[in-house]
């Protein structure tokens, strides 16, 4: 069977199926957040009172995803534990009359159907996504990076799923960044389609600013037809010696249409220290139970530091 025949079948088979599954890669080494990540996964960094990956899972559930595959490693057992039942604690909370807290813990364990797949070696994001192949099967699926919080207001995942339902094509989240920052991201050249949608014409991983085809950066959310697994399997290590998802997407572009869903704010790369700090401040300010007091603290600090 030729490649193009396989593609047509694969795309056609998945086209009729709704997007039900999500893959959350969380097996990276987190070297930008050392020394914290020596013993604790960066996906477990607290943003106010819950770990980063909980925000990511809640976003997926909010967008209608039912089945979530988390890619972990032997160092990341605390992620599994966080979403498991903790009966002793639930009983103790009930006994102390803290039923709401006990209920909260039970709800956390029931958030979605979670499955854990190990990536034995951190060989790159493309490789991590590839380890979910058997579980995803012949269905379209979304990928949410486990250290990337996307604010609800940005509506990115829901917008991408709507775009898929309309066009039956893979979709990637794209955000405009300053030209000098583009070398930190996958970069897309694209033609406008409608509203926030563009059609991607080419992709390049971490280009030098002078070589970048645009300032549209690939940002933390992807929706793929299962054809991507065939392309990942053929992808060799690229930038940084890792199997890059961008390289697999370049091959995908030869076979299928790829759309971009554009957005301008609301993304926090919590694997990066400065963005993590911003996430904590923004999320704390939005909290009903903390926001008021925290705003006052920030205002006092701003005055003391002559920031306003
Ligand atoms: P990152 O590139 O941000 O993760 O990948 P990293 O490699 O841990 O980062 P640094 O540069 O060393 O700090 C984005 C997401 O993909 C996962 C990460 O856990 C993160 O959630 N990932 C990355 C994997 O699951 N496996 C990999 O081999 C690489």
């Amino acid at each position: 069977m030729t490649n193009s025949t396989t593609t047509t079948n694969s795309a056609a088979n998945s086209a009729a199926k709704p997007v039900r599954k999500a893959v959350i890669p969380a097996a990276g080494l987190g070297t930008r957040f050392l020394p914290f990540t020596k013993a604790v996964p960066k996906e477990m960094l607290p943003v106010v009172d819950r770990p980063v990956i909980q925000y990511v899972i809640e976003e997926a559930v909010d967008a209608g995803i039912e089945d979530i595959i988390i890619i972990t490693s032997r160092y990341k057992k605390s992620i599994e534990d966080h979403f498991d039942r903790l009966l002793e604690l639930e009983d103790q909370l009930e006994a102390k009359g803290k039923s709401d807290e006990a209920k909260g813990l039970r709800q956390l364990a029931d958030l979605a159907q979670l499955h854990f797949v190990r990536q034995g070696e951190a060989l790159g994001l493309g490789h991590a996504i590839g380890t979910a192949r058997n579980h995803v099967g012949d269905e379209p699926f979304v990928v949410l990076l486990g250290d990337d919080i996307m604010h609800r207001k940005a509506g990115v995942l829901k917008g991408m799923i709507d775009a898929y339902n309309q066009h039956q094509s893979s979709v990637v989240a794209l955000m405009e960044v300053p030209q000098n920052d583009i070398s930190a991201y996958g970069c897309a050249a694209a033609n406008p389609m409608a509203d926030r949608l563009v059609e991607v014409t080419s992709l390049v991983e971490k280009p030098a600013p002078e070589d970048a085809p645009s300032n549209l950066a690939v940002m933390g959310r992807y929706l793929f037809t299962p054809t991507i697994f065939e392309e990942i399997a053929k992808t060799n290590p690229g930038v940084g010696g890792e199997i890059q998802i961008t390289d697999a997407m370049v091959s995908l572009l030869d076979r299928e249409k790829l759309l971009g869903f554009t957005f301008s704010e609301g993304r926090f790369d919590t694997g990066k220290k400065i963005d993590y700090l911003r996430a904590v401040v923004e999320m704390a300010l939005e909290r009903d139970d903390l926001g008021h007091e925290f705003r006052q603290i920030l205002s006092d600090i701003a005055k003391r530091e002559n920031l306003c």
Side-chain angles (χ1 to χ4, degrees), residues 51-123:
V52 168
I53 195 163
Q54 188 176 331
Y55 288 86
V56 177
I57 290 177
E58 285 170 351
E59 178 193 343
V61 170
D62 215 34
I65 297 296
E66 299 159 4
D67 192 327
I68 297 177
I69 303 122
I70 303 179
I71 313 300
T72 62
S73 73
R74 69 177 80 68
Y75 309 110
K76 307 245 179 175
K77 225 182 135 291
S78 56
I79 298 179
E80 283 179 59
D81 290 344
H82 180 73
F83 295 101
D84 200 356
R85 295 288 297 271
L86 190 49
L87 298 177
E88 302 88 325
L89 182 56
E90 286 172 29
D91 289 348
Q92 282 177 21
L93 287 168
E94 291 287 2
K96 288 183 177 169
K98 297 189 170 185
S99 295
D100 285 350
E101 285 84 349
K103 190 172 159 211
L105 289 188
R106 279 192 293 276
Q107 282 171 341
L108 179 56
D110 287 340
L111 256 182
Q113 254 193 294
L114 299 184
H115 308 270
F116 296 87
V117 174
R118 290 260 175 116
Q119 184 190 21
E121 208 180 333
L123 295 177

Side-chain angles (χ1 to χ4, degrees), residues 41-281:
K42 62 177 169 175
E43 294 80 6
M44 291 300 288
L45 276 162
V47 173
V48 190
D49 54 6
R50 63 192 77 164
V52 168
I53 195 163
Q54 188 176 331
Y55 288 86
V56 177
I57 290 177
E58 285 170 351
E59 178 193 343
V61 170
D62 215 34
I65 297 296
E66 299 159 4
D67 192 327
I68 297 177
I69 303 122
I70 303 179
I71 313 300
T72 62
S73 73
R74 69 177 80 68
Y75 309 110
K76 307 245 179 175
K77 225 182 135 291
S78 56
I79 298 179
E80 283 179 59
D81 290 344
H82 180 73
F83 295 101
D84 200 356
R85 295 288 297 271
L86 190 49
L87 298 177
E88 302 88 325
L89 182 56
E90 286 172 29
D91 289 348
Q92 282 177 21
L93 287 168
E94 291 287 2
K96 288 183 177 169
K98 297 189 170 185
S99 295
D100 285 350
E101 285 84 349
K103 190 172 159 211
L105 289 188
R106 279 192 293 276
Q107 282 171 341
L108 179 56
D110 287 340
L111 256 182
Q113 254 193 294
L114 299 184
H115 308 270
F116 296 87
V117 174
R118 290 260 175 116
Q119 184 190 21
E121 208 180 333
L123 295 177
L125 179 57
H127 181 265
I129 296 169
T131 60
R133 185 174 188 167
N134 283 347
H135 190 99
V136 171
D138 194 22
E139 292 191 28
F141 65 103
V142 288
V143 176
L144 300 90
L145 299 191
D147 61 347
D148 234 70
I149 293 180
M150 204 66 90
H151 198 286
R152 189 176 296 232
K153 277 189 280 188
V156 174
L157 198 65
K158 281 186 182 163
M160 291 169 69
I161 293 173
D162 286 348
Y164 174 81
N165 288 339
Q166 217 180 335
H167 300 277
Q168 274 85 50
S169 297
S170 295
V171 191
V172 61
L174 296 174
M175 189 172 116
E176 278 189 36
V177 299
Q179 196 73 26
N180 273 340
D181 296 348
I182 196 75
S183 53
Y185 303 96
C187 171
N191 295 325
M193 277 177 71
D195 244 355
R196 295 167 70 176
L197 273 191
V198 295
E199 181 172 349
V200 175
T201 52
S202 69
L203 282 164
V204 50
E205 180 66 15
K206 300 188 171 66
E210 59 277 17
D211 299 331
S214 77
N215 64 345
L216 280 177
V218 175
M219 287 293 184
R221 300 291 180 269
Y222 311 77
L223 191 161
F224 290 123
T225 65
T227 312
I228 194 69
F229 289 123
E230 294 166 27
E231 296 312 320
I232 291 172
K234 288 187 268 178
T235 301
N236 292 317
V239 175
E242 296 191 345
I243 296 178
Q244 299 284 353
I245 190 62
T246 310
D247 293 339
M249 286 160 65
V250 168
S251 319
L252 184 73
L253 260 180
D254 288 338
R255 301 176 62 180
E256 293 181 5
K257 204 183 247 197
L258 176 64
L259 307 183
F261 184 85
T262 58
F263 70 104
S264 54
E265 56 185 354
R267 183 246 183 186
F268 307 93
D269 175 5
T270 61
K272 201 163 120 190
K273 289 170 198 168
I274 197 73
D275 233 20
Y276 167 72
L277 293 172
R278 199 165 60 86
V280 173
V281 171

